[in-house]
Amino acid sequence: MLFRSSQLSINYFDVGNDFYKKNDFISAIFYYEKYLSPFYENFNNSFTPYTVSVKQKELKDNNTYLADALYRTAESYRRLSIHDKAVNYYREVLKKKSSKYPLIKFHYAHELKALGQFAEAKQMIESFLVEYKKNDSFKKEAQGAISSIDLGIQEFKKKDVQYFVQKPLQFERKDTG
């Protein structure tokens, strides 16, 4: 009797898409980052080669899947309000110079603003306003964001700002055992 060994193969990109469509952003991030791990060493390299083989889509001529995975990972982090991670992924998508994501600079600017990077946020919002042709709520919000960013820049230039420290909330887990 001859036994064949088989190995499970998962397409992380497609699984990530399924979770993304269901608004399960934590799971989507997990699978998108597994998909991205062979291409980006800086991002969550939690890939374990001995558990499951990777079945990647072809990326030779067209990096659409790669850009989509980066963008949806950024969007997932944004929707979970994990600003520092979202900024990194948005930055990578912008390097691809794709016109497929018309709101990328809008969302990227808001993530930068949340991290206190006002000058770069203002630059992104201004660039967004030049490129974005629709006259909708995103454009109106972007126009209002400029004054908000300017206010943030002015506040951080004040002398007494050194007495105030802005840092993210950290929650402590207390074991009750």
Side-chain angles (χ1 to χ4, degrees):
M1 184 175 245
L2 180 65
F3 290 99
R4 289 189 184 185
S5 65
S6 64
Q7 192 173 15
L8 178 65
S9 181
I10 295 177
N11 186 321
Y12 294 127
F13 179 77
D14 289 341
V15 175
N17 284 342
D18 290 342
F19 283 113
Y20 186 82
K21 289 173 189 169
K22 295 175 186 172
N23 294 328
D24 182 352
F25 300 116
I26 293 172
S27 298
I29 288 168
F30 177 79
Y31 286 100
Y32 285 139
E33 285 185 340
K34 281 200 175 276
Y35 173 78
L36 292 166
S37 66
F39 307 105
Y40 290 92
E41 291 178 15
N42 322 5
F43 300 144
N44 183 17
N45 251 337
S46 59
F47 172 65
T48 52
Y50 300 107
T51 56
V52 183
S53 68
V54 182
K55 179 183 173 188
Q56 303 290 13
K57 294 196 182 252
E58 273 305 312
L59 297 172
K60 290 179 184 171
D61 298 327
N62 188 347
N63 64 359
T64 302
Y65 297 117
L66 186 60
D68 283 348
L70 288 166
Y71 182 75
R72 291 178 189 152
T73 304
E75 284 289 290
S76 297
Y77 275 122
R78 179 183 66 82
R79 292 176 184 192
L80 295 170
S81 297
I82 304 173
H83 309 295
D84 57 333
K85 296 272 192 172
V87 161
N88 290 333
Y89 283 99
Y90 281 131
R91 192 173 292 126
E92 289 301 315
V93 177
L94 285 169
K95 287 178 186 176
K96 303 285 182 211
K97 300 183 191 281
S98 174
S99 60
K100 185 175 180 180
Y101 318 104
L103 297 175
I104 188 167
K105 289 183 178 180
F106 175 83
H107 293 308
Y108 181 49
H110 283 286
E111 296 304 298
L112 289 167
K113 181 180 161 195
L115 294 174
Q117 298 173 17
F118 298 113
E120 194 177 352
K122 184 175 180 179
Q123 181 183 1
M124 275 298 129
I125 284 289
E126 289 171 344
S127 178
F128 170 76
L129 286 170
V130 168
E131 295 171 10
Y132 195 69
K133 301 302 178 200
K134 293 181 183 178
N135 195 11
D136 59 7
S137 62
F138 291 107
K139 191 157 200 156
K140 289 176 187 170
E141 188 176 334
Q143 291 164 339
I146 290 178
S147 60
S148 171
I149 291 170
D150 286 338
L151 179 63
I153 292 170
Q154 290 171 7
E155 290 297 313
F156 275 95
K157 286 182 180 176
K158 291 183 177 179
K159 289 180 184 178
D160 60 349
V161 78
Q162 66 187 359
Y163 300 113
F164 300 96
V165 179
Q166 180 186 9
K167 53 185 177 178
L169 289 175
Q170 297 201 1
F171 298 98
E172 293 181 25
R173 182 175 174 229
K174 294 182 180 182
D175 292 327
T176 57

